[in-house]
Amino acid sequence: MKESDFLQNWHEEKSSYEAWGGFVAEEILSHLRANEIDTTSFLKVPPIPRLKTDASLLDKAFYRKSKKYKNPYDEIEDKVGVRFVVLLLGDIETINKVIVNHPAWEYDACKHFNEDRRRDPLLFTYQSVHFILRPKITFEFGGVYVPAGMPCEVQVRTLLQHAHAELTHDAIYKAKRAIQPEVHRTVAKSMALIETTDDFFGQVSLKLSSGPLEELGVDARLDGMYRSITGNFPSNQKSSIVIWDEFEDLITGDLPSLIESFLARNQFLGEIIVKKYLDNGLYQQSVVLFIYWMLKRKRTRLLKDWPLERVLLDSLATDLGISLENH
Amino acid sequence: MQLINLEIDRIIIHQVYQRDQEGQKVDPLQSHDYTRFDKNAMDAFITRVRDALGEESSAVPMQIVNQNDGDLPRLVDDVMEMGDSDFSVSSYDFALKLASAQQRRSIPGGILVVFTGTQGATPKRFLGLIKAEVHSGYEKEVNTDTQEISLKFVEELLLTPGTKLYKTAAFFEKPKYGNEVEDLNQKWTVMISDYQISRTDGKAAAQYFYSDFLGFGYPKSSARTTKNFYDSANKFIADLDVSESDKSELLNALTTYLKVEKTPTVSSSDFASKYFNDETKDDFLAHMEDSGVPTSAFTKDIEHIESKLKFRKVKFGGNIKFWAPHEVFAEKVSMETIPGDLDESGQPAQWTKILVKDRVMQQE
């Protein structure tokens, strides 16, 4: 294939590739949102589909020393690409799941850094997850015809992996002079560091977001009870974390059912919470149900270790009509 | 009493005086207007009422004894039906009653707060009475120019939570009662809380207050409630995961609490705070509530458990029984679990070592 034929093909199909990239980006975003993920904070770089420029396409097809294509037009699969950049390694799996489960396309998981690590355990180099997605059937998107089998490359990586890729791609592939071995060595060292840091980030986030409260699903159960007795959604704030933290040892698998049966005996509480909703922040959070329960069943402990101002408790004790004079 | 959803709608305050030099009654000073509190003052007042009468308070349920025309419970029953203007006038009758009841000159004057409101999930009416003694104190003053702090002497202070110089009583309308109520006890639950009574006096409240003024007596159900308290506490201690010698001490304590101590009232939280650590305390309170023991204090009556309190009994396997008068047991007997011979599985059997600090008098 001559360069001119190649370009002619490309110009004819460019808008289809663009539409296909746009479809992929939009579908992945909407599936993430359906999982209650705020994509604007979850994705660290906006996932805008990008078409290769004519020049870089020609360069890749005809002038790369490392790779010779028999049929470059069909073999080059990243003519359009979308990149998803996230903070944590765990977030990558969230996106991967959306991609492999989507019914509209066939996927080819052509690169995953976990496999690279297994294959070349001594090598520290570019890390990312790559998929090639192809529509299962020919369809129309935004008024443009997208043929079945048209490839789109999706890259998924962490912010740190992305930083490494940006540096190596821009500074090394496009370097105007031969690269010194020590530069390669330094880049490899950064990748080693990045992999280490990504692991640490993952550990930190796990420590921060998991505890008995989440593992046992206590918070979700309480939110549900709050909704059902007040008719409002709870708006949980930092003060609830302080409270849960203080009484973490009381969080057990049967705590929700204990609180549930307590509420069943004290159904008037829903009305009181609604009435006092604006009095103080506790009434707006589902942790208020836990405090009510403690006032009734774990009073000594509650009063001994209460981490916030005592007057907040006073108000709740009045709701339940419990005397605090002996404490 | 669980005072949920407590709201107060009317408060009126009259002043009562100490008897004069000759021991003659001095007429109370009548207020004609209702007291209007701002939100903070009202919240604080509700807190006082809740602390005095609410669940886990030292308030005890009483029984209405005097209920003829002119007796205070009858007056309460009448005024609850009145509109605001009649109520404010009639509330002065309570002050007159109190002045008459204060027969000794040693009883100080003060104010009588009469208030009404509602409480409960399905709100029911109640009427409360607080007799508060006036005391003196200081108020902090900060000089705005120099920021210097000085204290202003205040001669008449009232209802300060720290000094607790007040007595509280309340009539709570029961959720259900018939149309023709002959005995006011069918219509009203009455509670009393007296912070000023010494707990070793053997009374739940000053006599002039609970009997002469209010017309109350100790409830007849106390013996039943006390027995339930004893049985439930006994079971809790028996099920505790502690050594046998600790259990023995707790059982001694329970008997002492009911039999020896002169306190007129019993309450789960009082017992718990004396004998359990914080964690066990909460478990104990929950167990007692689940067993139907009142969550507030109640008057002690050991009639139904007298024989049980006399002897401490310990039963062992093999039909071995050991028993001794309570006082002697606490003083002269100690028990300890020790490892015995190994059983078939190689585990030591549990044996008990009993030490009796006395010699054998007789054997049969």
Side-chain angles (χ1 to χ4, degrees), chain A residues 275-303:
Chain A
K275 199 162 76 184
K276 293 193 157 180
Y277 191 77
L278 295 175
D279 278 15
N280 73 53
L282 285 182
Y283 290 109
Q284 298 156 22
Q285 309 181 46
S286 57
V287 72
V288 73
L289 305 177
F290 174 65
I291 308 170
Y292 275 137
W293 173 79
M294 277 196 83
L295 262 173
K296 190 82 177 125
R297 307 296 279 194
K298 298 274 174 197
R299 189 168 340 164
T300 319
R301 177 69 199 286
L302 177 68
L303 292 164

Coordinates of all heavy atoms in Angstrom, one line a residue, chain A residues 275-303:
Chain A
K275 N -38.7 17.3 62.9 CA -39.0 18.6 63.5 C -37.8 19.3 63.9 O -37.7 20.5 63.8 CB -39.9 18.3 64.7 CG -40.6 19.5 65.2 CD -41.8 19.1 66.2 CE -41.2 18.7 67.6 NZ -42.3 18.2 68.5
K276 N -36.7 18.6 64.3 CA -35.5 19.2 64.8 C -34.4 19.3 63.7 O -33.3 19.5 64.1 CB -35.0 18.5 66.0 CG -36.0 18.7 67.2 CD -35.2 18.2 68.5 CE -35.9 18.8 69.7 NZ -35.1 18.4 70.9
Y277 N -34.8 19.0 62.5 CA -33.8 18.8 61.4 C -32.8 19.9 61.4 O -31.6 19.7 61.2 CB -34.5 18.6 60.1 CG -33.7 18.2 59.0 CD1 -33.3 16.8 58.8 CD2 -33.2 19.1 58.0 CE1 -32.5 16.4 57.8 CE2 -32.4 18.6 57.0 CZ -32.1 17.3 56.9 OH -31.3 16.9 55.8
L278 N -33.2 21.1 61.6 CA -32.3 22.3 61.4 C -31.7 22.7 62.7 O -30.8 23.6 62.8 CB -33.1 23.5 60.8 CG -33.6 23.2 59.4 CD1 -34.4 24.4 58.9 CD2 -32.4 23.0 58.4
D279 N -32.1 22.1 63.9 CA -31.5 22.4 65.2 C -30.0 22.2 65.3 O -29.3 23.1 65.7 CB -32.2 21.7 66.3 CG -33.5 22.3 66.7 OD1 -34.0 23.1 65.9 OD2 -34.1 22.0 67.8
N280 N -29.6 21.0 64.9 CA -28.2 20.8 64.8 C -27.9 19.7 63.9 O -28.8 18.9 63.5 CB -27.5 20.6 66.2 CG -27.8 19.2 66.8 OD1 -27.6 18.2 66.1 ND2 -28.4 19.2 68.0
G281 N -26.6 19.6 63.4 CA -26.2 18.7 62.3 C -26.5 17.3 62.6 O -26.6 16.5 61.6
L282 N -26.5 16.9 63.9 CA -26.7 15.4 64.1 C -28.0 14.9 63.6 O -28.1 13.8 63.1 CB -26.6 15.2 65.6 CG -25.3 15.2 66.3 CD1 -25.4 14.9 67.8 CD2 -24.3 14.3 65.6
Y283 N -29.0 15.7 63.6 CA -30.3 15.3 63.2 C -30.4 15.0 61.7 O -31.3 14.4 61.2 CB -31.4 16.3 63.5 CG -31.7 16.4 65.0 CD1 -31.3 17.5 65.7 CD2 -32.4 15.4 65.6 CE1 -31.6 17.6 67.1 CE2 -32.6 15.5 67.0 CZ -32.2 16.6 67.7 OH -32.5 16.6 69.1
Q284 N -29.4 15.5 60.9 CA -29.4 15.4 59.5 C -28.6 14.1 59.1 O -28.5 13.8 57.9 CB -28.7 16.6 58.8 CG -29.6 17.8 59.1 CD -28.8 19.1 59.0 OE1 -27.7 19.1 58.3 NE2 -29.2 20.2 59.6
Q285 N -28.0 13.4 60.1 CA -27.1 12.3 59.8 C -27.7 11.0 60.3 O -28.3 11.0 61.4 CB -25.7 12.5 60.3 CG -25.2 13.9 59.9 CD -23.8 14.0 60.5 OE1 -23.0 13.2 60.4 NE2 -23.6 15.2 61.1
S286 N -27.5 9.9 59.6 CA -28.0 8.6 60.1 C -27.4 8.2 61.4 O -28.0 7.3 62.1 CB -27.9 7.6 59.0 OG -26.6 7.4 58.7
V287 N -26.2 8.7 61.7 CA -25.6 8.3 63.0 C -26.4 8.7 64.2 O -26.3 8.1 65.3 CB -24.2 8.9 63.1 CG1 -24.3 10.4 63.4 CG2 -23.3 8.3 64.2
V288 N -27.4 9.6 64.0 CA -28.3 10.0 65.1 C -29.0 8.8 65.7 O -29.3 8.7 66.9 CB -29.2 11.1 64.7 CG1 -30.3 10.6 63.8 CG2 -29.9 11.8 65.9
L289 N -29.3 7.9 64.8 CA -30.1 6.7 65.3 C -29.2 5.8 66.2 O -29.7 5.3 67.2 CB -30.5 5.8 64.1 CG -31.3 6.6 63.0 CD1 -31.7 5.7 61.8 CD2 -32.6 7.1 63.7
F290 N -27.9 5.8 65.9 CA -27.0 5.0 66.7 C -26.8 5.7 68.1 O -26.8 5.1 69.1 CB -25.6 5.0 66.0 CG -24.5 4.4 66.7 CD1 -24.5 3.1 67.1 CD2 -23.4 5.2 67.1 CE1 -23.4 2.5 67.8 CE2 -22.3 4.6 67.8 CZ -22.4 3.3 68.2
I291 N -26.8 7.0 68.1 CA -26.7 7.8 69.3 C -27.9 7.6 70.2 O -27.8 7.3 71.4 CB -26.4 9.3 69.1 CG1 -25.3 9.5 68.1 CG2 -26.1 10.0 70.4 CD1 -25.1 10.9 67.7
Y292 N -29.1 7.6 69.6 CA -30.3 7.4 70.3 C -30.2 6.0 71.0 O -30.6 5.8 72.1 CB -31.5 7.4 69.4 CG -32.1 8.8 69.1 CD1 -32.5 9.2 67.8 CD2 -32.3 9.7 70.1 CE1 -33.0 10.4 67.6 CE2 -32.9 11.0 69.9 CZ -33.2 11.3 68.6 OH -33.8 12.5 68.3
W293 N -29.8 5.0 70.2 CA -29.7 3.7 70.7 C -28.8 3.6 71.9 O -29.0 3.0 72.9 CB -29.3 2.7 69.6 CG -29.1 1.3 70.0 CD1 -30.0 0.3 70.3 CD2 -27.8 0.7 70.3 NE1 -29.4 -0.8 70.7 CE2 -28.0 -0.6 70.7 CE3 -26.5 1.2 70.2 CZ2 -27.0 -1.5 71.0 CZ3 -25.4 0.3 70.5 CH2 -25.7 -1.0 70.9
M294 N -27.6 4.3 71.7 CA -26.6 4.2 72.8 C -27.2 4.9 74.0 O -26.9 4.5 75.2 CB -25.3 4.9 72.4 CG -24.4 4.1 71.6 SD -22.7 4.8 71.5 CE -22.0 4.2 73.0
L295 N -27.9 6.0 73.8 CA -28.5 6.7 75.0 C -29.4 5.8 75.8 O -29.5 5.9 77.0 CB -29.3 7.9 74.5 CG -28.7 9.3 74.5 CD1 -29.6 10.3 73.9 CD2 -28.3 9.7 75.9
K296 N -30.0 4.9 75.1 CA -30.9 4.0 75.7 C -30.2 2.7 76.3 O -30.5 2.3 77.4 CB -32.0 3.6 74.7 CG -33.1 2.8 75.3 CD -34.2 3.7 75.9 CE -35.3 2.9 76.3 NZ -35.7 3.1 77.7
R297 N -29.3 2.2 75.5 CA -28.7 0.9 75.9 C -27.2 1.0 76.3 O -26.7 0.0 76.9 CB -28.8 -0.1 74.7 CG -30.2 -0.2 74.2 CD -31.1 -0.8 75.2 NE -31.0 -2.3 75.2 CZ -31.9 -3.0 75.8 NH1 -33.0 -2.5 76.4 NH2 -31.8 -4.3 75.9
K298 N -26.5 2.0 76.0 CA -25.1 2.1 76.3 C -24.7 3.5 76.9 O -23.8 4.1 76.4 CB -24.2 1.8 75.0 CG -24.4 0.5 74.4 CD -23.4 -0.5 75.1 CE -23.7 -1.9 74.6 NZ -23.2 -3.0 75.4
R299 N -25.6 3.9 77.8 CA -25.5 5.3 78.2 C -24.2 5.6 78.9 O -23.6 6.7 78.6 CB -26.6 5.6 79.2 CG -26.8 7.0 79.6 CD -28.1 7.1 80.3 NE -28.9 5.9 79.8 CZ -29.9 5.5 80.4 NH1 -30.5 6.1 81.4 NH2 -30.5 4.4 80.0
T300 N -23.7 4.8 79.8 CA -22.5 5.1 80.5 C -21.3 5.3 79.6 O -20.6 6.3 79.7 CB -22.2 3.9 81.4 OG1 -23.4 3.4 82.0 CG2 -21.2 4.3 82.5
R301 N -21.2 4.3 78.6 CA -20.2 4.4 77.7 C -20.3 5.7 76.8 O -19.3 6.4 76.6 CB -20.3 3.2 76.8 CG -19.3 3.1 75.7 CD -17.9 2.9 76.2 NE -16.9 3.2 75.2 CZ -16.7 2.5 74.1 NH1 -17.3 1.3 74.0 NH2 -15.8 2.9 73.2
L302 N -21.5 6.0 76.4 CA -21.7 7.1 75.5 C -21.3 8.4 76.2 O -20.6 9.2 75.7 CB -23.2 7.2 75.1 CG -23.6 8.4 74.3 CD1 -23.0 8.3 72.9 CD2 -25.1 8.5 74.2
L303 N -21.7 8.5 77.5 CA -21.4 9.8 78.2 C -19.9 9.9 78.5 O -19.4 10.9 78.6 CB -22.3 9.9 79.4 CG -23.8 10.1 79.1 CD1 -24.6 9.8 80.3 CD2 -24.0 11.5 78.6

